[in-house]
């Protein structure tokens, strides 16, 4: 039989909204863990739930390993295989990287929920939070963050 351990208990007394603007250099992973951690700590919310939302259809959010950069390189290679740029898509108005970017976003996430305990995101030892840019050229990406808790 499995038992769930209670880590904290409190009434919801506060919620905070924020915005994180990320400038990308083109396709790749941008770690945003530290920026989110600083923001969460600064809110004063000790226990709750952080939601991170990406307001774009050609970029996404992931929680992935942050220890070995080879993991991110392999993930980009896998996305290239799953949504190649030269597949002959009908939608090509914004360039050959746009439709594959939409598919890659569909395969990943635009929203993440991360528990917060004692003022810190509860991530695994090797986990980091990433914005993944799926377009080839630089973009400004707008993320909305929402923390609810006590």
């Amino acid at each position: 039989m499995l038992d769930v351990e209670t880590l904290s208990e409190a009434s919801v007394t506060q919620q905070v909204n924020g915005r994180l603007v990320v400038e990308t250099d083109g396709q790749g992973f941008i770690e945003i863990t530290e920026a989110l951690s600083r923001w969460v700590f600064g809110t004063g919310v000790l226990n709750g739930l952080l939601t991170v939302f990406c307001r774009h259809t050609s970029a996404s959010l992931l929680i992935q390993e942050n220890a070995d950069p080879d993991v991110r390189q392999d993930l980009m290679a896998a996305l290239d295989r799953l949504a190649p740029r030269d597949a002959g898509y009908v939608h090509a108005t914004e360039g050959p990287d746009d439709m594959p970017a939409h598919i890659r976003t569909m395969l990943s996430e635009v929203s993440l929920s991360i528990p917060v305990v004692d003022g810190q995101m509860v991530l695994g030892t090797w986990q980091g939070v990433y914005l993944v840019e799926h377009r080839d050229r630089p973009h400004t990406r707008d993320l909305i963050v929402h923390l609810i808790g006590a």
Side-chain angles (χ1 to χ4, degrees), residues 60-148:
S60 57
L61 298 166
L62 290 175
I63 294 176
Q64 267 302 331
E65 179 176 325
N66 65 357
D68 184 354
D70 289 347
V71 171
R72 295 184 295 280
Q73 184 176 345
D74 287 341
L75 289 171
M76 290 305 292
L79 288 172
D80 285 339
R81 288 189 301 275
L82 291 169
R85 282 170 170 58
D86 59 356
Y89 303 106
V90 174
H91 172 73
T93 307
E94 297 178 57
D97 67 332
D98 189 45
M99 192 59 219
H102 292 306
I103 294 169
R104 293 164 190 219
T105 300
M106 178 182 72
L107 295 171
S108 47
E109 304 281 341
V110 294
S111 179
L112 298 173
S113 297
I114 304 166
V116 172
V117 175
D118 295 330
Q120 297 182 14
M121 294 185 296
V122 183
L123 294 170
T125 302
W126 307 114
Q127 287 183 322
V129 183
Y130 294 89
L131 170 74
V132 187
E133 176 61 68
H134 299 299
R135 298 294 304 272
D136 291 338
R137 69 181 199 281
H139 281 79
T140 300
R141 300 305 189 173
D142 194 34
L143 307 180
I144 301 300
V145 292
H146 176 245
L147 180 58
I148 188 167

Side-chain angles (χ1 to χ4, degrees), residues 33-43:
T33 312
E34 184 59 35
L36 294 173
S37 293
R38 283 192 314 269
W39 183 79
V40 166
F41 183 78
T43 66

Side-chain angles (χ1 to χ4, degrees), residues 4 8 11 21 23 37 49 53 74 77 96 101 105 135 137-138 145 150:
V4 175
S8 66
S11 299
V21 176
E23 301 290 337
S37 293
L49 184 65
F53 178 74
D74 287 341
T105 300
R135 298 294 304 272
R137 69 181 199 281
V145 292

